[in-house]
Amino acid sequence: MALDGGPQLSQPVAGAASFDRMWAELTPVGRAAATGGYRRFAWTTVDSTLREWFTAEAGRRGLDVVRDRAGNQWAWWGNPASVPGGGVVIGSHLDSVPDGGAFDGPLGVVSSFAALDSLRAQGFAPSRPIAVVNFGDEEGARFGIACAGSRLITGALSADRARALRDADGTSLADAMSGAGFDPTQVGADDETLGRIGCFVELHVEQGRGLIDLGQPVAVSSQIWPHGRWRIELPGEANHAGTTRLVDRHDPMLACAELILAARQAAQRHGSVATMGKVSIQPNGVNAIASHVTAWLDARGADPDAVRAVVDELAGLATAADGSLELESWTDSTVFDAGLSDRVRAVLPDAPVLSTGAGHDAGILANAGVPTTMLFVRNPTGVSHSPVEHAETDDCHRGVDALAAVVAELAGPPATVR
Ligand code: HGY
Ligand code: MN
Ligand code: MN
């Protein structure tokens, strides 16, 4: 179903055919037949397949692939050390949340390779190096820290803390990296890599209804809401579900239930959003009172003080239940680079400007001082982090066209007339 609105494609996007080929190749990787959702977790065999795919696509285009100190992959067209000020970087991530959608992340990486194909088909010769990046572990689905790859190279996540992170099976990030053939002893902040980035433009599927309600296929992003993750520990006392008197029970599930409801009510009152989508119950038996509950809070909002007010309320409840609430990651409000966004908007005059409540590697880089902005591609469902997430093929092609036009503007020969 082609959606109306937005610039009609003047001619078939040269990158459309390569987009469609790459998309078809990626679609089965890490997809669960039962739900149609994806499980593309960091440093797993699925992740290795995706990284090998990335390297192969770069090789098809004669791009030099390098890995940085977090294992993020950079496919360069041109030598990034050849010009002062660094190159134009596009790309996104390939990993997913549990049972995630097909587009969150991969749309940005595939569109980036296709945009380069489009430009080359038009005979474009860049005056600045261009890179396509695959940021590893953006979702933090396995080890719990979102944007781990970009946080590591910017120093927002320390190497020691990262290496010690453990997944649900107790496997450390360091061991998972080693198992995937990446040496964890080299992990750390990577100023050399950051110094190669002149600007970063991340194309991403929209994770909301902005574009569908505006009848446009592509938007430029202005900012990312402040957002964070907190871990809540609730102790209890294991006992028999049938023989233990109610008065004798210390059941942490009661406090957990109270916190889950309180998160929604506090968010409502403070004009924020919050959910607790992940809960780990020990020993997790039907006929056993839980001995311990660990729950994770995700809270966000346009106003960081309002988000903090929500978290403070929940911290009080956790403490009252003899538990704890600890910050796992926080990203300040991110306003994208005005000058870069203006240049992008000059190239895409019909594109509306949207803020987002979704976190991205673009936000981590922006907060590290890298000139950054984002493009969003229409998602007619408005749903994300779900197999329902979608983008129409025509809109994906329009996204490729838009990204190619942006790269031509940013990496093309200096305009003769400004
Ligand atoms: O959680 C987020 O907003 C992003 O999808 N990592
Ligand atoms: Mn996501
Ligand atoms: Mn994403």
PDB file of all heavy atoms in Angstrom, residues 356-392:
ATOM      1  N   THR A 356      11.686  13.188  19.745  1.00  0.00           N
ATOM      2  CA  THR A 356      11.385  11.781  19.982  1.00  0.00           C
ATOM      3  C   THR A 356      11.664  11.387  21.430  1.00  0.00           C
ATOM      4  O   THR A 356      12.550  11.954  22.076  1.00  0.00           O
ATOM      5  CB  THR A 356      12.191  10.853  19.046  1.00  0.00           C
ATOM      6  OG1 THR A 356      11.831   9.492  19.314  1.00  0.00           O
ATOM      7  CG2 THR A 356      13.701  11.007  19.269  1.00  0.00           C
ATOM      8  N   GLY A 357      10.930  10.387  21.883  1.00  0.00           N
ATOM      9  CA  GLY A 357      11.187   9.822  23.206  1.00  0.00           C
ATOM     10  C   GLY A 357      12.080   8.596  23.124  1.00  0.00           C
ATOM     11  O   GLY A 357      12.358   7.945  24.127  1.00  0.00           O
ATOM     12  N   ALA A 358      12.521   8.268  21.914  1.00  0.00           N
ATOM     13  CA  ALA A 358      13.381   7.085  21.751  1.00  0.00           C
ATOM     14  C   ALA A 358      14.837   7.494  21.795  1.00  0.00           C
ATOM     15  O   ALA A 358      15.235   8.509  21.223  1.00  0.00           O
ATOM     16  CB  ALA A 358      13.073   6.386  20.428  1.00  0.00           C
ATOM     17  N   GLY A 359      15.635   6.695  22.476  1.00  0.00           N
ATOM     18  CA  GLY A 359      17.071   6.952  22.550  1.00  0.00           C
ATOM     19  C   GLY A 359      17.772   6.408  21.325  1.00  0.00           C
ATOM     20  O   GLY A 359      17.278   5.474  20.681  1.00  0.00           O
ATOM     21  N   HIS A 360      18.891   7.006  20.985  1.00  0.00           N
ATOM     22  CA  HIS A 360      19.663   6.576  19.806  1.00  0.00           C
ATOM     23  C   HIS A 360      21.137   6.843  20.024  1.00  0.00           C
ATOM     24  O   HIS A 360      21.511   7.732  20.808  1.00  0.00           O
ATOM     25  CB  HIS A 360      19.203   7.337  18.559  1.00  0.00           C
ATOM     26  CG  HIS A 360      17.761   7.146  18.231  1.00  0.00           C
ATOM     27  ND1 HIS A 360      17.287   6.033  17.581  1.00  0.00           N
ATOM     28  CD2 HIS A 360      16.667   7.922  18.483  1.00  0.00           C
ATOM     29  CE1 HIS A 360      15.977   6.133  17.432  1.00  0.00           C
ATOM     30  NE2 HIS A 360      15.575   7.263  17.985  1.00  0.00           N
ATOM     31  N   ASP A 361      21.971   6.126  19.261  1.00  0.00           N
ATOM     32  CA  ASP A 361      23.403   6.415  19.296  1.00  0.00           C
ATOM     33  C   ASP A 361      23.667   7.867  18.898  1.00  0.00           C
ATOM     34  O   ASP A 361      24.618   8.495  19.382  1.00  0.00           O
ATOM     35  CB  ASP A 361      24.152   5.467  18.343  1.00  0.00           C
ATOM     36  CG  ASP A 361      24.065   4.008  18.803  1.00  0.00           C
ATOM     37  OD1 ASP A 361      24.439   3.750  19.968  1.00  0.00           O
ATOM     38  OD2 ASP A 361      23.602   3.166  18.013  1.00  0.00           O
ATOM     39  N   ALA A 362      22.802   8.391  18.038  1.00  0.00           N
ATOM     40  CA  ALA A 362      22.946   9.803  17.639  1.00  0.00           C
ATOM     41  C   ALA A 362      22.899  10.705  18.875  1.00  0.00           C
ATOM     42  O   ALA A 362      23.616  11.702  18.969  1.00  0.00           O
ATOM     43  CB  ALA A 362      21.836  10.191  16.663  1.00  0.00           C
ATOM     44  N   GLY A 363      22.077  10.338  19.851  1.00  0.00           N
ATOM     45  CA  GLY A 363      21.990  11.139  21.074  1.00  0.00           C
ATOM     46  C   GLY A 363      23.263  11.059  21.896  1.00  0.00           C
ATOM     47  O   GLY A 363      23.722  12.058  22.456  1.00  0.00           O
ATOM     48  N   ILE A 364      23.847   9.877  21.944  1.00  0.00           N
ATOM     49  CA  ILE A 364      25.101   9.701  22.711  1.00  0.00           C
ATOM     50  C   ILE A 364      26.223  10.512  22.062  1.00  0.00           C
ATOM     51  O   ILE A 364      26.974  11.229  22.731  1.00  0.00           O
ATOM     52  CB  ILE A 364      25.498   8.213  22.770  1.00  0.00           C
ATOM     53  CG1 ILE A 364      24.363   7.376  23.373  1.00  0.00           C
ATOM     54  CG2 ILE A 364      26.811   8.024  23.522  1.00  0.00           C
ATOM     55  CD1 ILE A 364      23.928   7.772  24.750  1.00  0.00           C
ATOM     56  N   LEU A 365      26.302  10.447  20.739  1.00  0.00           N
ATOM     57  CA  LEU A 365      27.347  11.219  20.044  1.00  0.00           C
ATOM     58  C   LEU A 365      27.111  12.717  20.206  1.00  0.00           C
ATOM     59  O   LEU A 365      28.045  13.494  20.438  1.00  0.00           O
ATOM     60  CB  LEU A 365      27.397  10.850  18.560  1.00  0.00           C
ATOM     61  CG  LEU A 365      27.921   9.458  18.193  1.00  0.00           C
ATOM     62  CD1 LEU A 365      28.180   9.388  16.691  1.00  0.00           C
ATOM     63  CD2 LEU A 365      29.198   9.111  18.942  1.00  0.00           C
ATOM     64  N   ALA A 366      25.839  13.126  20.086  1.00  0.00           N
ATOM     65  CA  ALA A 366      25.522  14.560  20.233  1.00  0.00           C
ATOM     66  C   ALA A 366      25.958  15.051  21.610  1.00  0.00           C
ATOM     67  O   ALA A 366      26.579  16.110  21.749  1.00  0.00           O
ATOM     68  CB  ALA A 366      24.036  14.798  20.021  1.00  0.00           C
ATOM     69  N   ASN A 367      25.670  14.246  22.638  1.00  0.00           N
ATOM     70  CA  ASN A 367      26.051  14.645  24.003  1.00  0.00           C
ATOM     71  C   ASN A 367      27.556  14.576  24.226  1.00  0.00           C
ATOM     72  O   ASN A 367      28.062  15.068  25.225  1.00  0.00           O
ATOM     73  CB  ASN A 367      25.322  13.775  25.035  1.00  0.00           C
ATOM     74  CG  ASN A 367      23.841  14.151  25.141  1.00  0.00           C
ATOM     75  OD1 ASN A 367      23.469  15.297  24.881  1.00  0.00           O
ATOM     76  ND2 ASN A 367      22.998  13.189  25.452  1.00  0.00           N
ATOM     77  N   ALA A 368      28.272  13.981  23.262  1.00  0.00           N
ATOM     78  CA  ALA A 368      29.743  13.954  23.348  1.00  0.00           C
ATOM     79  C   ALA A 368      30.350  15.041  22.467  1.00  0.00           C
ATOM     80  O   ALA A 368      31.566  15.083  22.268  1.00  0.00           O
ATOM     81  CB  ALA A 368      30.267  12.586  22.914  1.00  0.00           C
ATOM     82  N   GLY A 369      29.476  15.897  21.917  1.00  0.00           N
ATOM     83  CA  GLY A 369      29.983  17.048  21.153  1.00  0.00           C
ATOM     84  C   GLY A 369      30.106  16.833  19.664  1.00  0.00           C
ATOM     85  O   GLY A 369      30.640  17.696  18.949  1.00  0.00           O
ATOM     86  N   VAL A 370      29.607  15.690  19.160  1.00  0.00           N
ATOM     87  CA  VAL A 370      29.677  15.455  17.709  1.00  0.00           C
ATOM     88  C   VAL A 370      28.453  16.108  17.049  1.00  0.00           C
ATOM     89  O   VAL A 370      27.325  15.886  17.512  1.00  0.00           O
ATOM     90  CB  VAL A 370      29.676  13.935  17.399  1.00  0.00           C
ATOM     91  CG1 VAL A 370      29.613  13.683  15.896  1.00  0.00           C
ATOM     92  CG2 VAL A 370      30.903  13.260  18.019  1.00  0.00           C
ATOM     93  N   PRO A 371      28.652  16.945  16.024  1.00  0.00           N
ATOM     94  CA  PRO A 371      27.481  17.519  15.318  1.00  0.00           C
ATOM     95  C   PRO A 371      26.629  16.391  14.738  1.00  0.00           C
ATOM     96  O   PRO A 371      27.125  15.569  13.949  1.00  0.00           O
ATOM     97  CB  PRO A 371      28.117  18.351  14.199  1.00  0.00           C
ATOM     98  CG  PRO A 371      29.507  18.654  14.662  1.00  0.00           C
ATOM     99  CD  PRO A 371      29.928  17.459  15.466  1.00  0.00           C
ATOM    100  N   THR A 372      25.394  16.315  15.180  1.00  0.00           N
ATOM    101  CA  THR A 372      24.550  15.152  14.884  1.00  0.00           C
ATOM    102  C   THR A 372      23.133  15.600  14.610  1.00  0.00           C
ATOM    103  O   THR A 372      22.663  16.587  15.183  1.00  0.00           O
ATOM    104  CB  THR A 372      24.554  14.195  16.102  1.00  0.00           C
ATOM    105  OG1 THR A 372      25.889  13.771  16.344  1.00  0.00           O
ATOM    106  CG2 THR A 372      23.690  12.978  15.854  1.00  0.00           C
ATOM    107  N   THR A 373      22.454  14.879  13.746  1.00  0.00           N
ATOM    108  CA  THR A 373      21.014  15.005  13.608  1.00  0.00           C
ATOM    109  C   THR A 373      20.461  13.674  13.103  1.00  0.00           C
ATOM    110  O   THR A 373      21.205  12.726  12.872  1.00  0.00           O
ATOM    111  CB  THR A 373      20.625  16.175  12.668  1.00  0.00           C
ATOM    112  OG1 THR A 373      19.211  16.441  12.813  1.00  0.00           O
ATOM    113  CG2 THR A 373      20.932  15.848  11.218  1.00  0.00           C
ATOM    114  N   MET A 374      19.124  13.599  12.985  1.00  0.00           N
ATOM    115  CA  MET A 374      18.500  12.339  12.571  1.00  0.00           C
ATOM    116  C   MET A 374      17.448  12.597  11.513  1.00  0.00           C
ATOM    117  O   MET A 374      16.854  13.690  11.454  1.00  0.00           O
ATOM    118  CB  MET A 374      17.837  11.649  13.777  1.00  0.00           C
ATOM    119  CG  MET A 374      18.796  11.168  14.836  1.00  0.00           C
ATOM    120  SD  MET A 374      17.959  10.176  16.124  1.00  0.00           S
ATOM    121  CE  MET A 374      17.701   8.644  15.195  1.00  0.00           C
ATOM    122  N   LEU A 375      17.216  11.566  10.699  1.00  0.00           N
ATOM    123  CA  LEU A 375      16.075  11.528   9.790  1.00  0.00           C
ATOM    124  C   LEU A 375      15.166  10.400  10.253  1.00  0.00           C
ATOM    125  O   LEU A 375      15.648   9.336  10.639  1.00  0.00           O
ATOM    126  CB  LEU A 375      16.527  11.239   8.347  1.00  0.00           C
ATOM    127  CG  LEU A 375      17.469  12.225   7.659  1.00  0.00           C
ATOM    128  CD1 LEU A 375      17.723  11.772   6.216  1.00  0.00           C
ATOM    129  CD2 LEU A 375      16.915  13.633   7.696  1.00  0.00           C
ATOM    130  N   PHE A 376      13.852  10.637  10.210  1.00  0.00           N
ATOM    131  CA  PHE A 376      12.899   9.574  10.531  1.00  0.00           C
ATOM    132  C   PHE A 376      12.124   9.213   9.278  1.00  0.00           C
ATOM    133  O   PHE A 376      11.769  10.096   8.473  1.00  0.00           O
ATOM    134  CB  PHE A 376      11.909  10.035  11.615  1.00  0.00           C
ATOM    135  CG  PHE A 376      12.531  10.253  12.969  1.00  0.00           C
ATOM    136  CD1 PHE A 376      12.135  11.317  13.758  1.00  0.00           C
ATOM    137  CD2 PHE A 376      13.509   9.391  13.458  1.00  0.00           C
ATOM    138  CE1 PHE A 376      12.708  11.522  15.013  1.00  0.00           C
ATOM    139  CE2 PHE A 376      14.094   9.595  14.703  1.00  0.00           C
ATOM    140  CZ  PHE A 376      13.683  10.659  15.474  1.00  0.00           C
ATOM    141  N   VAL A 377      11.848   7.915   9.141  1.00  0.00           N
ATOM    142  CA  VAL A 377      11.034   7.419   8.023  1.00  0.00           C
ATOM    143  C   VAL A 377       9.689   6.967   8.584  1.00  0.00           C
ATOM    144  O   VAL A 377       9.626   6.298   9.617  1.00  0.00           O
ATOM    145  CB  VAL A 377      11.739   6.255   7.299  1.00  0.00           C
ATOM    146  CG1 VAL A 377      10.831   5.597   6.263  1.00  0.00           C
ATOM    147  CG2 VAL A 377      13.022   6.746   6.624  1.00  0.00           C
ATOM    148  N   ARG A 378       8.628   7.314   7.879  1.00  0.00           N
ATOM    149  CA  ARG A 378       7.256   7.067   8.336  1.00  0.00           C
ATOM    150  C   ARG A 378       7.006   5.609   8.693  1.00  0.00           C
ATOM    151  O   ARG A 378       7.410   4.697   7.954  1.00  0.00           O
ATOM    152  CB  ARG A 378       6.289   7.505   7.241  1.00  0.00           C
ATOM    153  CG  ARG A 378       4.826   7.258   7.485  1.00  0.00           C
ATOM    154  CD  ARG A 378       3.930   8.062   6.578  1.00  0.00           C
ATOM    155  NE  ARG A 378       4.268   7.926   5.158  1.00  0.00           N
ATOM    156  CZ  ARG A 378       3.669   8.656   4.184  1.00  0.00           C
ATOM    157  NH1 ARG A 378       2.761   9.565   4.503  1.00  0.00           N
ATOM    158  NH2 ARG A 378       4.004   8.492   2.932  1.00  0.00           N
ATOM    159  N   ASN A 379       6.351   5.439   9.822  1.00  0.00           N
ATOM    160  CA  ASN A 379       5.957   4.110  10.315  1.00  0.00           C
ATOM    161  C   ASN A 379       4.436   4.132  10.439  1.00  0.00           C
ATOM    162  O   ASN A 379       3.907   4.688  11.412  1.00  0.00           O
ATOM    163  CB  ASN A 379       6.633   3.882  11.670  1.00  0.00           C
ATOM    164  CG  ASN A 379       6.105   2.648  12.400  1.00  0.00           C
ATOM    165  OD1 ASN A 379       5.123   2.028  11.993  1.00  0.00           O
ATOM    166  ND2 ASN A 379       6.757   2.303  13.499  1.00  0.00           N
ATOM    167  N   PRO A 380       3.720   3.584   9.476  1.00  0.00           N
ATOM    168  CA  PRO A 380       2.248   3.718   9.473  1.00  0.00           C
ATOM    169  C   PRO A 380       1.566   3.091  10.682  1.00  0.00           C
ATOM    170  O   PRO A 380       0.442   3.439  11.006  1.00  0.00           O
ATOM    171  CB  PRO A 380       1.823   3.020   8.172  1.00  0.00           C
ATOM    172  CG  PRO A 380       2.961   2.145   7.806  1.00  0.00           C
ATOM    173  CD  PRO A 380       4.200   2.803   8.334  1.00  0.00           C
ATOM    174  N   THR A 381       2.246   2.219  11.380  1.00  0.00           N
ATOM    175  CA  THR A 381       1.621   1.629  12.571  1.00  0.00           C
ATOM    176  C   THR A 381       1.856   2.498  13.807  1.00  0.00           C
ATOM    177  O   THR A 381       1.128   2.382  14.793  1.00  0.00           O
ATOM    178  CB  THR A 381       2.213   0.233  12.867  1.00  0.00           C
ATOM    179  OG1 THR A 381       3.564   0.388  13.361  1.00  0.00           O
ATOM    180  CG2 THR A 381       2.234  -0.632  11.618  1.00  0.00           C
ATOM    181  N   GLY A 382       2.898   3.307  13.784  1.00  0.00           N
ATOM    182  CA  GLY A 382       3.242   4.085  14.980  1.00  0.00           C
ATOM    183  C   GLY A 382       3.793   3.214  16.097  1.00  0.00           C
ATOM    184  O   GLY A 382       4.122   3.687  17.174  1.00  0.00           O
ATOM    185  N   VAL A 383       3.927   1.891  15.812  1.00  0.00           N
ATOM    186  CA  VAL A 383       4.357   0.952  16.852  1.00  0.00           C
ATOM    187  C   VAL A 383       5.825   0.591  16.644  1.00  0.00           C
ATOM    188  O   VAL A 383       6.286   0.466  15.493  1.00  0.00           O
ATOM    189  CB  VAL A 383       3.497  -0.339  16.802  1.00  0.00           C
ATOM    190  CG1 VAL A 383       4.000  -1.387  17.792  1.00  0.00           C
ATOM    191  CG2 VAL A 383       2.029   0.001  17.075  1.00  0.00           C
ATOM    192  N   SER A 384       6.564   0.428  17.723  1.00  0.00           N
ATOM    193  CA  SER A 384       7.961   0.001  17.617  1.00  0.00           C
ATOM    194  C   SER A 384       8.292  -0.902  18.800  1.00  0.00           C
ATOM    195  O   SER A 384       7.487  -1.053  19.722  1.00  0.00           O
ATOM    196  CB  SER A 384       8.886   1.224  17.602  1.00  0.00           C
ATOM    197  OG  SER A 384      10.233   0.834  17.385  1.00  0.00           O
ATOM    198  N   HIS A 385       9.496  -1.525  18.724  1.00  0.00           N
ATOM    199  CA  HIS A 385       9.866  -2.531  19.741  1.00  0.00           C
ATOM    200  C   HIS A 385       8.790  -3.605  19.807  1.00  0.00           C
ATOM    201  O   HIS A 385       8.397  -4.072  20.868  1.00  0.00           O
ATOM    202  CB  HIS A 385      10.085  -1.876  21.117  1.00  0.00           C
ATOM    203  CG  HIS A 385      11.377  -1.117  21.182  1.00  0.00           C
ATOM    204  ND1 HIS A 385      11.880  -0.538  22.320  1.00  0.00           N
ATOM    205  CD2 HIS A 385      12.272  -0.843  20.212  1.00  0.00           C
ATOM    206  CE1 HIS A 385      13.027   0.048  22.057  1.00  0.00           C
ATOM    207  NE2 HIS A 385      13.281  -0.110  20.777  1.00  0.00           N
ATOM    208  N   SER A 386       8.365  -4.004  18.605  1.00  0.00           N
ATOM    209  CA  SER A 386       7.290  -4.989  18.430  1.00  0.00           C
ATOM    210  C   SER A 386       7.333  -5.492  16.987  1.00  0.00           C
ATOM    211  O   SER A 386       7.700  -4.741  16.077  1.00  0.00           O
ATOM    212  CB  SER A 386       5.937  -4.325  18.678  1.00  0.00           C
ATOM    213  OG  SER A 386       4.906  -5.021  17.988  1.00  0.00           O
ATOM    214  N   PRO A 387       6.930  -6.758  16.764  1.00  0.00           N
ATOM    215  CA  PRO A 387       6.909  -7.250  15.370  1.00  0.00           C
ATOM    216  C   PRO A 387       5.973  -6.437  14.477  1.00  0.00           C
ATOM    217  O   PRO A 387       6.067  -6.493  13.263  1.00  0.00           O
ATOM    218  CB  PRO A 387       6.400  -8.689  15.530  1.00  0.00           C
ATOM    219  CG  PRO A 387       6.642  -9.060  16.943  1.00  0.00           C
ATOM    220  CD  PRO A 387       6.557  -7.798  17.733  1.00  0.00           C
ATOM    221  N   VAL A 388       5.091  -5.652  15.088  1.00  0.00           N
ATOM    222  CA  VAL A 388       4.114  -4.854  14.321  1.00  0.00           C
ATOM    223  C   VAL A 388       4.792  -3.675  13.612  1.00  0.00           C
ATOM    224  O   VAL A 388       4.314  -3.184  12.598  1.00  0.00           O
ATOM    225  CB  VAL A 388       2.991  -4.350  15.274  1.00  0.00           C
ATOM    226  CG1 VAL A 388       2.091  -3.320  14.607  1.00  0.00           C
ATOM    227  CG2 VAL A 388       2.197  -5.532  15.794  1.00  0.00           C
ATOM    228  N   GLU A 389       5.941  -3.235  14.128  1.00  0.00           N
ATOM    229  CA  GLU A 389       6.672  -2.080  13.552  1.00  0.00           C
ATOM    230  C   GLU A 389       6.763  -2.229  12.032  1.00  0.00           C
ATOM    231  O   GLU A 389       7.021  -3.334  11.535  1.00  0.00           O
ATOM    232  CB  GLU A 389       8.066  -2.091  14.147  1.00  0.00           C
ATOM    233  CG  GLU A 389       9.048  -1.043  13.685  1.00  0.00           C
ATOM    234  CD  GLU A 389      10.405  -1.319  14.319  1.00  0.00           C
ATOM    235  OE1 GLU A 389      10.646  -0.814  15.422  1.00  0.00           O
ATOM    236  OE2 GLU A 389      11.188  -2.076  13.729  1.00  0.00           O
ATOM    237  N   HIS A 390       6.582  -1.116  11.298  1.00  0.00           N
ATOM    238  CA  HIS A 390       6.576  -1.258   9.834  1.00  0.00           C
ATOM    239  C   HIS A 390       6.948   0.049   9.149  1.00  0.00           C
ATOM    240  O   HIS A 390       6.781   1.135   9.704  1.00  0.00           O
ATOM    241  CB  HIS A 390       5.186  -1.702   9.361  1.00  0.00           C
ATOM    242  CG  HIS A 390       5.134  -2.012   7.889  1.00  0.00           C
ATOM    243  ND1 HIS A 390       5.834  -3.049   7.316  1.00  0.00           N
ATOM    244  CD2 HIS A 390       4.492  -1.376   6.873  1.00  0.00           C
ATOM    245  CE1 HIS A 390       5.618  -3.057   6.013  1.00  0.00           C
ATOM    246  NE2 HIS A 390       4.810  -2.051   5.706  1.00  0.00           N
ATOM    247  N   ALA A 391       7.444  -0.081   7.933  1.00  0.00           N
ATOM    248  CA  ALA A 391       7.612   1.059   7.017  1.00  0.00           C
ATOM    249  C   ALA A 391       7.334   0.532   5.619  1.00  0.00           C
ATOM    250  O   ALA A 391       7.769  -0.570   5.271  1.00  0.00           O
ATOM    251  CB  ALA A 391       9.022   1.637   7.101  1.00  0.00           C
ATOM    252  N   GLU A 392       6.573   1.303   4.854  1.00  0.00           N
ATOM    253  CA  GLU A 392       6.243   0.884   3.488  1.00  0.00           C
ATOM    254  C   GLU A 392       7.489   0.973   2.602  1.00  0.00           C
ATOM    255  O   GLU A 392       8.320   1.880   2.779  1.00  0.00           O
ATOM    256  CB  GLU A 392       5.142   1.788   2.908  1.00  0.00           C
ATOM    257  CG  GLU A 392       3.812   1.724   3.655  1.00  0.00           C
ATOM    258  CD  GLU A 392       3.142   0.362   3.542  1.00  0.00           C
ATOM    259  OE1 GLU A 392       3.492  -0.396   2.611  1.00  0.00           O
ATOM    260  OE2 GLU A 392       2.300   0.047   4.389  1.00  0.00           O
TER     261      GLU A 392
END
